[in-house]
Structure formats: C-alpha cells, structure tokens
Amino acid sequence: MTRAILLQGQQISYVLKRSKRKTIGLRVASGQLEVSVPDRLTIKFIEQVLQERQEWILQKLQETLSAHWELRHGLQGHLAGEAVVFEFHSGPQVILKEGKVLVPEAQPREALRTHLIRKGSALVQDRVHGWAQKIGVKPQSIRITRAQRRWGSMNAKGVLALSVGTLLLEPDLLDYVIVHELCHMHHLNHSAEYWECVERFLPDFEALHERVKQQGGVLTGLF
C-alpha cells in the first residue's frame, strides 16, 4: 500500500508493508521510503513514528535523490569504468563508439538497459579478471542482472552477478563492488576475515562502501 505524509512541509510518499513482525522497520532505497510494521498498528501511530524520525528519513531521501542518474542527450558519465558521453540517435540499436554511447531516442532507458544486460558482461570482463588475479580467485562466469536492490552477488559456484546499474557507477565504485564480491570467494560471509580481504585491496573501502550506498539514484534513473 502506498501512502503519503507531510514531513517538514514536504509531501513524502511511502510504501507500507504489514506483516507478523514485532517492530517497525524503516528503509530508504532508490529514493523510496519503505515502512514495515506489525499487522495491528494504526496509521495514526505509524505516522507519529514517521514524524519522530523525520530528520533521518529526509536525510536518507536526499542522499539517494542527490545521486539520481537521468539518461539524457549529452550526459557525461561512465560505462564499465570508462568515461563516456551518452547521445541519442535515430537508429534502432545502442552503439558504443570512441567514448560515446549512442542510444535510440525512442525509449532510450529501455534500450540501454536491455543492451547492457545482454552485452555488459563482456564490457566488464577485463576489469573483473584483473581484480580476480590480484585477489587470487577465478570466478566461473559473470552475469548482468535486473536487480534493483543489490549491486552484486557471488554464489558458491563462483558466479559473479552484477546489477545492470553497477556498470554505470564511477570507476572506483565499480571496483569496490567487484572486489566486495570477489572476496566472497575466499569468505562466503561478512566476517572480520572477509573485511580484511576487502581492506587489503581497497584500504579506503569504508568510504567507498558509504558512497555506493548513496547511489540508489542510478537504479532509479535506469529503471
């Protein structure tokens, strides 16, 4: 259920999810506030809690909105770690050419998203293999997915999955996601040993981690 509430003069929409949980949970992802509550709580009580947490909510929403990515003609951005300029053209296909990404002007987001899901693994392959050699692992394959809430994942079989939005991140953030997932080939958890692996290759991983968390707007703009 989608509702709205006025916080500091701003109309904020939120998705309300009821379940058998015992506590209230607040989550901001891709510019959207999600509120998970126990079944029997009244709207009045729920919105009282939202008013009490309004500073946190507005801060988190601002963080994701400030990172909003909007595909437009002439946009300067990144693709698979390389600086590119996105331009619209009248043709039916996405074309990569000399630092430019030519995107069909008819439904450009859908065309770019589909192209990256089909071809993205080849674009990022060298970068992944370069990090894999440094870390001492051998991923079995790379998949590009439609995931909108996870930048990447690694399963026990060594399959690295990257969200299509990951390909649009700045180079250092793309590297962080790759290293984060490849270190799971040594440690399929988030233990102290796992984070030591990440830190060994990216000493500033904590700052990178926070920056990646603020990039939900990339997925909002792509989907």
Side-chain angles (χ1 to χ4, degrees), residues 66 81 100 113 116 126 128 145 148 169 172-173 207 213 220:
S66 65
K100 295 183 178 181
R113 185 172 64 238
L116 294 182
D126 288 346
V128 170
T145 75
Q148 297 182 50
L169 293 175
D172 56 345
L173 301 187
K213 285 169 59 178
T220 302

Side-chain angles (χ1 to χ4, degrees), residues 69 71 86 94 101 103-104 107-120 144-148 163-165 167-168 218-223:
W69 186 91
L71 179 60
F86 295 88
V94 173
V101 182
V103 184
Q107 298 185 315
R109 287 194 306 175
E110 293 81 352
L112 179 61
R113 185 172 64 238
T114 299
H115 178 83
L116 294 182
I117 290 172
R118 291 175 179 173
K119 305 291 186 179
I144 307 301
T145 75
R146 294 179 177 270
Q148 297 182 50
S163 164
V164 60
L167 300 178
L168 302 175
V218 174
L219 294 176
T220 302
L222 189 59
F223 284 88

